[in-house]
Amino acid sequence: MEKYGIHLLVLSHVFSVPALKRTCTTELAKQLTVENVVDMLHLARLCDVPSLNVKCMNMISKDFKDVEKTEAWKFLQDHDPVLELDLLQFLNEAESRENRRIRNRKDQSLYLQLSEAMECLQHICTEGCTNVGPCDQEPNKNKGPCKRFSTCRSLQLLIRHFATCEKRVRGGCSNCKRMWQLLRLHSSICDQPGPCKVPLCRQFKLRMQAERKGHDKRWRLLVRKVVSAKAISTLSKRMRGEDLDDEWMRAAK
């Protein structure tokens, strides 16, 4: 295969010998290098070998800076502009996909953080925590740091600032604007049938009902994303819990 693999692939294609063609394809894929990947790509296209074609394209995309220094790439630029254009389009699409993947991962992380912030806000306003509690009871100052939410302390500080800030009325405080957005987001996803202890929840709901026709599409999209992230996070935690239960049962046996 090292000496005649390419020849055998061509012959297996010309004379329609599928078993030999599959064997040659597997072995030649193992021999791919930066130096021969462009030639192998030519061969894969001439012999109609999609799997080898994909492997070659992926290697070129991964090591393009090294590939474009090879003699095979320079020959390609001079003699096959169509294939060169296909490769450049593939590289551009691959880069776009990677950028979208990174952006989606960052967005998903943000939605998960907002989802946790909503749970933490409900926890503080309903149960109370270290320094902040519901309006109808004093917070228990004997509590230690909150272990349920990593953002609990910072959110408590934000709530206390929001309650005393003088710039809030004039809209000149960035921290207060952030708190307004969190309260509005909570009211958008709150599904409690009875009174909610989170401040301004009812007022925001009434306001949204009055402005339903002109409601911001981007805001509705954000609400759906946060709700979806919460559902995915809950399902993931439940599945991890079931896995731990299974491990415990196996250990008990």
Side-chain angles (χ1 to χ4, degrees), residues 88-140:
L88 293 177
Q89 288 177 341
F90 177 81
L91 293 173
N92 183 59
E93 292 172 359
E95 184 178 1
S96 299
R97 286 194 299 271
E98 179 65 16
N99 290 336
R100 284 197 302 271
R101 187 184 66 81
I102 294 174
R103 186 167 60 250
N104 290 337
R105 187 170 58 188
K106 290 181 179 179
D107 290 344
Q108 188 64 25
S109 176
L110 174 61
Y111 300 140
L112 285 172
Q113 290 176 12
L114 288 172
S115 173
E116 181 180 344
M118 294 300 98
E119 292 185 38
C120 185
L121 181 63
Q122 186 79 28
H123 149 70
I124 292 172
C125 297
T126 304
E127 305 168 3
C129 201
T130 312
N131 298 313
V132 179
C135 58
D136 56 353
Q137 68 183 57
E138 289 291 330
N140 185 357

Side-chain angles (χ1 to χ4, degrees), residues 6 35-44 46 56 72-73 75:
I6 293 176
E35 294 294 331
N36 68 15
V37 66
V38 174
D39 295 330
M40 287 290 189
L41 178 62
H42 271 292
L43 180 66
L46 289 171
C56 292
W73 178 260
F75 183 86

Side-chain angles (χ1 to χ4, degrees), residues 203-233:
Q203 288 84 342
F204 272 118
K205 285 182 178 179
L206 293 174
R207 181 179 176 182
M208 284 188 291
Q209 291 175 0
E211 300 176 352
R212 182 67 64 184
K213 292 183 179 179
H215 199 43
D216 190 352
K217 292 182 179 179
R218 294 178 63 185
W219 181 262
R220 290 204 303 269
L221 177 62
L222 173 64
V223 172
R224 287 199 299 270
K225 293 288 188 180
V226 172
V227 172
S228 176
K230 181 179 180 180
I232 293 173
S233 176

Side-chain angles (χ1 to χ4, degrees), residues 3-253:
K3 188 173 182 179
Y4 297 111
I6 293 176
H7 307 80
L8 288 171
L9 177 61
V10 174
L11 290 171
S12 66
H13 174 67
V14 172
F15 291 102
S16 300
V17 187
L20 178 59
K21 190 173 183 178
R22 286 194 297 271
T23 302
C24 293
T25 299
T26 302
E27 294 301 321
L28 290 175
K30 298 176 183 178
Q31 299 176 23
L32 281 178
T33 65
V34 170
E35 294 294 331
N36 68 15
V37 66
V38 174
D39 295 330
M40 287 290 189
L41 178 62
H42 271 292
L43 180 66
R45 295 196 169 197
L46 289 171
C47 295
D48 189 23
V49 188
S51 60
L52 184 59
N53 180 81
V54 170
K55 290 182 181 295
C56 292
M57 296 288 275
N58 288 335
M59 176 175 280
I60 292 173
S61 175
K62 180 181 177 182
D63 302 317
F64 181 67
K65 290 184 178 181
D66 295 325
V67 171
E68 66 178 347
K69 297 176 184 178
T70 62
E71 292 297 325
W73 178 260
K74 295 175 183 177
F75 183 86
L76 173 70
Q77 289 180 306
D78 294 336
H79 297 88
D80 197 344
V82 175
L83 180 55
E84 180 190 8
L85 180 60
D86 287 345
L87 280 169
L88 293 177
Q89 288 177 341
F90 177 81
L91 293 173
N92 183 59
E93 292 172 359
E95 184 178 1
S96 299
R97 286 194 299 271
E98 179 65 16
N99 290 336
R100 284 197 302 271
R101 187 184 66 81
I102 294 174
R103 186 167 60 250
N104 290 337
R105 187 170 58 188
K106 290 181 179 179
D107 290 344
Q108 188 64 25
S109 176
L110 174 61
Y111 300 140
L112 285 172
Q113 290 176 12
L114 288 172
S115 173
E116 181 180 344
M118 294 300 98
E119 292 185 38
C120 185
L121 181 63
Q122 186 79 28
H123 149 70
I124 292 172
C125 297
T126 304
E127 305 168 3
C129 201
T130 312
N131 298 313
V132 179
C135 58
D136 56 353
Q137 68 183 57
E138 289 291 330
N140 185 357
K141 296 184 178 180
N142 295 325
K143 288 183 178 180
C146 181
K147 297 180 180 180
R148 288 179 57 186
F149 303 99
S150 59
T151 57
C152 192
R153 174 174 168 75
S154 58
L155 189 54
Q156 288 183 63
L157 293 175
L158 189 62
I159 292 173
R160 297 185 67 179
H161 167 83
F162 181 76
T164 58
C165 180
E166 297 180 355
K167 294 181 180 180
R168 169 168 54 89
V169 178
R170 299 189 295 274
C173 178
S174 59
N175 288 328
C176 290
K177 288 180 181 178
R178 189 177 300 113
M179 192 66 216
W180 275 111
Q181 291 173 344
L182 290 176
L183 292 173
R184 181 188 175 192
L185 181 59
H186 162 80
S187 67
S188 298
I189 65 177
C190 179
D191 56 358
Q192 292 191 25
C196 178
K197 290 189 175 183
V198 176
L200 303 177
C201 181
R202 181 172 178 275
Q203 288 84 342
F204 272 118
K205 285 182 178 179
L206 293 174
R207 181 179 176 182
M208 284 188 291
Q209 291 175 0
E211 300 176 352
R212 182 67 64 184
K213 292 183 179 179
H215 199 43
D216 190 352
K217 292 182 179 179
R218 294 178 63 185
W219 181 262
R220 290 204 303 269
L221 177 62
L222 173 64
V223 172
R224 287 199 299 270
K225 293 288 188 180
V226 172
V227 172
S228 176
K230 181 179 180 180
I232 293 173
S233 176
T234 302
L235 179 60
S236 176
K237 290 178 181 178
R238 187 181 305 161
M239 292 178 67
R240 286 200 298 268
E242 291 175 355
D243 291 342
L244 289 175
D245 290 342
D246 291 342
E247 290 181 5
W248 184 85
M249 290 296 292
R250 286 196 296 269
K253 292 178 180 179

